[in-house]
Amino acid sequence: MSEIKKPVFKPNKEFSKNARVKNMCEYNDLQDWATEDYEGFWEHFASEKITWKEPFTSVLDESNTPFVKWFEGGKLNVAEQCIDRHLDKRKNKAAIIFEGDRGDKQVITYLQLFQNVNRFANLLKNKFDVKKGDRVVIYMPMIPEAAYAMLACARIGAIHSIVFGGFSAEALKDRIEDADAKVVITADGAFRKDKPYMLKNVVDKALEGSTPVKKVLVVERNGEDIEWIANRDYSYYELINNESDKCEAEVMDSEDPLFLLYTSGSTGKPKGVQHNSAGYILWAQMTMEWVFDVKENDTYWCTADVGWITGHTYIVYGPLAMGATTVMFEGVPTYPDAGRPWKMVEEYKINQFYTAPTAIRVLHKLGENEPSKYDLSSLKVLGTVGEPIDPPAWRWYYEQVGNSKCAIVDTYWQTETGGHIVSPLPGATPIKPACATLPVPGIMAEILDSQTGEKAEVGETGYMCITKPWPAQIRNVWGDEERYKKSYFGDVKKDGKAVYFTGDGAVYDEDGYITITGRTDDVINVSGHRMGTAEVEAAIKKHPNVAEVAVVGKPHELKGEGIFAYVVLKQDDGVADEVEEVKAINAVIKTEIGNIALCDDMVFAPNLPKTRSGKIMRRILRSIAKGEKITQDISTLEDPSIVKIIEDKVNS
Ligand code: PRX
């Protein structure tokens, strides 16, 4: 292996002394326990961490694999896990600290959270007729009411499906219809960079024509004018104080669904990833404790948006399940300047800070020296998530933000895994830059050879798999069992048995550490957000002048990956004004998906490189986008000369 060995950074000794997992011996003991007695391991933690209304009678049922069941017979309510059980000890403790874009602040104690969530739950039940099992779409900005909405659904047994506020009306409509949601919870809008932006008008558009949605609840955040549709739209603030702050929690089975979250796959249609109650909340809490090692008086901040899985597990469910104080931030990290996060770390004495490599790269670029202007001495653990972090960004984060004393937990996981699966434990694992290191205890994560299903050799890229079901595993693709089986259990077998394949490639180093090398499928990772190339292609094809399109990822300095589209127009007489054509196509993408899917590069070509059977050779397009020399055999192409034509266009 020619790769230069990565340096190793040992955990901070002072920190390790009080950490939940203090050294590698303790880590190995946990992992050995799970390996030797898998069910015993999980039985122990499920009994210890969850306040059961009725105890479970079995740990894991694999009889209908891959449709597994965890903790059957057990009864609980996830909102009670996150709130009620803390009231004895933590009634006046801050559950959520909110900071708005413009610096407005709110501290919500556990008691206030209890009252707000119960009122919200009563409102959904009484006024909106939401019952156990109903789907509720949440299309909200980063305000505390988004968390109340999630927990209110959990309290009454409704299944929430959050749609990220950056998605367009079309994307929202698709998700509403797929989930057959009866209620949408939204806001008029919110603030970004001191200016109001709107959400309610997007909901209005998404509900045009036929829709399963009967009612819309609107939280007024920015006070801008919006349209109110009689008997459909209701004001949160007009109604909420009429509701009682006591709402009996629905008794839920361990395997009752908790939420859906749509994510991109390798087809044009997003998948409704389904997570169920007990296994998910157990893992959310355990990983909070192990990976961030949050202590009773700590203040923890994750900068994600509740519209993504990170916001679900590590802003709302995980921190609240363990009774922690979680910070919620409405704004953007670079406004009013790239010192904003560090100012907040100083002000709130943040102990654990968790963000995406894209944010780190931007903060590094725009504010290299900003961290030194603030007192960041409260920080103990720094986290990254969502995409590979490059060594220069890692170093800056470690040295300038963490003052070379904080552990960096490079947490690898996905929407489907519910919580972390590969990550350092901050008091135990010696870390290496840009390396997710080792499986979290209890997770049987292995890199397998794609052909043989054997464990991959050191230095050989293989498939990142999980070889045993884990409690927070995706349970289904909403309404599509076949897709669930095919998407995750179709590609890799170990000892003849289908195992969960993440879709990522990964490699072991000589210490057995895991480095994620990126997706092996047609999914690209833009600023830590998953985007299916097929989804973007389907959007571009809606432009009436587009005959064919192929979308690939291309390395991007800040976003990790950018979106590169090769477009063949219907009239093959050249493009009159390429700039206008790019704008027109991007406008279609904005309507169909949202700004997050806009193309960074677009090239018009007379044709695409295809095999004689008509398959587009994306590998060639990826190489061209990266500016690599084409080394692969192109003689099998229907028209090999197209490669040179496209190369010339890209390089011109
Ligand atoms: O490719 C991996 C990448 O993000 C994908 C999951 O995306 P999503 O479901 O949107 O969840 C993002 C937040 C968990 C993975 O399949 N990914 C996630 N974390 C890392 C990562 N790639 C490298 N290193 C990571 N730490």
Side-chain angles (χ1 to χ4, degrees):
M1 224 182 15
S2 60
E3 203 189 321
I4 303 162
K5 268 183 104 163
K6 286 180 173 169
V8 180
F9 298 81
K10 296 216 172 105
N12 178 323
K13 282 200 184 110
E14 277 310 301
F15 179 87
S16 296
K17 270 190 211 159
N18 297 313
R20 287 185 175 81
V21 183
K22 295 179 174 48
N23 49 52
M24 287 307 282
C25 286
E26 290 190 3
Y27 165 82
N28 288 327
D29 285 350
L30 282 165
Q31 197 57 326
D32 289 348
W33 176 11
T35 308
E36 280 153 28
D37 179 14
Y38 197 62
E39 293 201 12
F41 175 93
W42 288 111
E43 180 180 4
H44 169 87
F45 285 106
S47 309
E48 185 184 285
K49 303 290 175 195
I50 292 183
T51 307
W52 294 96
K53 284 171 176 296
E54 275 177 41
F56 55 92
T57 48
S58 83
V59 178
L60 170 62
D61 176 358
E62 287 188 83
S63 57
N64 188 25
T65 185
F67 299 93
V68 294
K69 292 186 172 159
W70 282 91
F71 312 121
E72 273 200 295
K75 306 234 182 259
L76 77 164
N77 181 284
V78 167
E80 286 187 326
Q81 293 297 308
C82 292
I83 312 171
D84 304 38
R85 64 177 179 152
H86 304 310
L87 291 179
D88 272 355
K89 260 178 63 190
R90 306 187 174 104
K91 195 165 68 186
N92 297 317
K93 174 173 175 172
I96 299 175
I97 295 177
F98 169 72
E99 180 161 313
D101 174 72
R102 294 165 309 160
D104 48 316
K105 299 175 172 75
Q106 269 185 68
V107 176
I108 299 119
T109 64
Y110 271 93
L111 179 61
Q112 288 165 334
L113 182 64
F114 172 81
Q115 293 164 334
N116 289 329
V117 168
N118 282 352
R119 283 194 201 100
F120 209 130
N122 277 325
L123 182 60
L124 292 179
K125 224 161 74 170
N126 302 332
K127 182 92 192 171
F128 290 77
D129 192 32
V130 178
K131 299 192 183 68
K132 180 176 172 180
D134 285 344
R135 272 80 58 210
V136 172
V137 162
I138 300 176
Y139 187 67
M140 291 276 269
M142 282 290 291
I143 54 176
E145 289 76 10
Y148 305 162
M150 295 163 78
L151 292 158
C153 287
R155 192 156 195 101
I156 60 177
I159 305 168
H160 62 71
S161 169
I162 307 191
V163 179
F164 172 61
F167 278 117
S168 69
E170 273 304 314
L172 176 60
K173 189 181 185 64
D174 286 350
R175 286 156 176 78
I176 288 171
E177 283 173 0
D178 192 81
D180 196 21
K182 78 195 271 192
V183 166
V184 173
I185 304 171
T186 188
D188 45 6
F191 297 99
R192 187 186 297 124
K193 298 189 179 177
D194 207 22
K195 293 201 177 64
Y197 71 90
M198 304 306 290
L199 291 171
K200 170 64 166 56
N201 56 351
V202 184
V203 174
D204 291 340
K205 201 141 183 263
L207 300 186
E208 277 171 10
S210 73
T211 175
V213 171
K214 304 275 179 299
K215 292 200 160 96
V216 177
L217 180 63
V218 184
V219 179
E220 292 96 334
R221 166 68 184 151
N222 64 15
E224 296 289 308
D225 280 345
I226 54 170
E227 199 180 332
W228 293 92
I229 295 186
N231 301 321
R232 192 198 74 180
D233 300 347
Y234 296 86
S235 152
Y236 174 78
Y237 286 109
E238 266 177 30
L239 299 175
I240 196 72
N241 288 323
N242 304 332
E243 298 295 336
S244 150
D245 62 12
K246 305 251 164 2
C247 174
E248 193 69 34
E250 192 73 35
V251 179
M252 304 293 283
D253 288 336
S254 291
E255 287 293 344
D256 277 335
L258 178 64
F259 66 82
L260 310 179
L261 184 55
Y262 283 81
T263 190
S264 295
S266 45
T267 73
K269 191 174 169 318
K271 300 179 271 201
V273 171
Q274 179 188 328
H275 281 291
N276 290 358
S277 302
Y280 171 80
I281 199 67
L282 174 66
W283 193 230
Q285 179 175 343
M286 287 173 67
T287 47
M288 272 305 294
E289 294 179 357
W290 277 337
V291 175
F292 297 117
D293 208 24
V294 175
K295 294 285 168 33
E296 188 58 40
N297 295 319
D298 283 355
T299 302
Y300 157 92
W301 180 18
C302 164
T303 68
D305 189 286
V306 288
W308 307 114
I309 190 68
T310 309
H312 285 62
T313 310
Y314 297 112
I315 295 179
V316 178
Y317 286 116
L320 297 176
M322 71 169 296
T325 298
T326 179
V327 173
M328 239 181 136
F329 176 49
E330 178 190 34
V332 292
T334 49
Y335 187 83
D337 57 48
R340 179 77 180 264
W342 321 129
K343 184 166 178 279
M344 287 176 63
V345 167
E346 177 179 280
E347 179 171 349
Y348 300 112
K349 300 195 169 39
I350 304 287
N351 305 106
Q352 296 82 15
F353 178 73
Y354 190 32
T355 196
T358 292
I360 299 168
R361 285 191 288 266
V362 172
L363 291 166
H364 181 196
K365 188 170 172 178
L366 300 182
E368 184 163 7
N369 299 317
E370 287 295 322
S372 63
K373 297 184 188 162
Y374 299 92
D375 176 4
L376 306 184
S377 59
S378 56
L379 287 171
K380 297 189 280 192
V381 179
L382 300 173
T384 72
V385 56
E387 49 180 325
I389 179 164
D390 40 298
W394 192 96
R395 275 220 171 253
W396 178 77
Y397 200 34
Y398 185 75
E399 289 168 4
Q400 302 304 315
V401 180
N403 197 18
S404 304
K405 71 173 180 56
C406 299
I408 293 192
V409 287
D410 180 343
T411 62
Y412 166 73
W413 59 297
Q414 333 174 273
T415 305
E416 292 87 344
T417 67
H420 305 144
I421 52 173
V422 180
S423 172
L425 303 187
T429 320
I431 51 174
K432 302 182 188 184
C435 176
T437 72
L438 297 166
V440 183
I443 300 292
M444 300 300 144
E446 276 185 81
I447 306 171
L448 300 180
D449 183 290
S450 57
Q451 303 299 316
T452 62
E454 300 285 324
K455 195 166 171 164
E457 300 288 332
V458 171
E460 298 292 331
T461 303
Y463 283 178
M464 188 71 242
C465 295
I466 311 179
T467 54
K468 263 180 170 302
W470 67 106
Q473 170 179 324
I474 173 179
R475 293 301 195 273
N476 199 2
V477 170
W478 183 252
D480 198 343
E481 294 189 345
E482 273 314 304
R483 194 164 177 206
Y484 167 71
K485 284 196 269 188
K486 205 165 155 269
S487 305
Y488 304 107
F489 300 91
D491 291 329
V492 190
K493 284 200 166 97
K494 187 188 175 192
D495 302 330
K497 200 178 133 206
V499 296
Y500 177 89
F501 172 41
T502 58
D504 286 302
V507 63
Y508 285 119
D509 72 6
E510 61 288 352
D511 295 322
Y513 275 27
I514 293 169
T515 295
I516 305 297
T517 53
R519 302 287 308 188
T520 60
D521 53 10
D522 287 326
V523 171
I524 50 186
N525 194 324
V526 184
S527 303
H529 302 141
R530 247 158 92 173
M531 192 52 64
T533 51
E535 226 174 309
V536 184
E537 287 169 4
I540 294 178
K541 277 189 197 143
K542 297 228 164 137
H543 187 287
N545 206 14
V546 170
E548 267 188 304
V549 54
V551 166
V552 298
K554 174 190 171 179
H556 187 283
E557 189 199 351
L558 293 177
K559 299 197 237 176
E561 270 189 297
I563 303 178
F564 195 122
Y566 296 89
V567 178
V568 181
L569 293 175
K570 279 189 184 149
Q571 289 105 338
D572 195 17
D573 49 3
V575 186
D577 185 339
E578 291 205 354
V579 176
E580 285 306 310
E581 204 70 50
V582 169
K583 270 195 206 153
I585 292 175
N586 267 328
V588 177
I589 298 176
K590 191 172 165 182
T591 310
E592 292 295 318
I593 306 176
N595 283 339
I596 49 171
L598 295 183
C599 293
D600 297 276
D601 296 276
M602 201 179 291
V603 163
F604 298 98
N607 204 345
L608 297 173
K610 286 187 211 140
T611 59
R612 292 202 184 94
S613 60
K615 193 171 170 298
I616 298 171
M617 295 292 284
R618 282 161 206 282
R619 239 172 344 116
I620 293 177
L621 294 174
R622 272 194 285 269
S623 298
I624 297 176
K626 284 186 194 156
E628 290 171 355
K629 269 224 127 2
I630 306 295
T631 51
Q632 52 261 64
D633 177 18
I634 56 169
S635 63
T636 54
L637 292 183
E638 188 188 31
D639 171 15
S641 70
I642 193 67
V643 174
K644 172 98 180 43
I645 296 172
I646 296 177
E647 270 185 309
D648 289 347
K649 276 241 48 173
V650 171
N651 298 328
S652 67

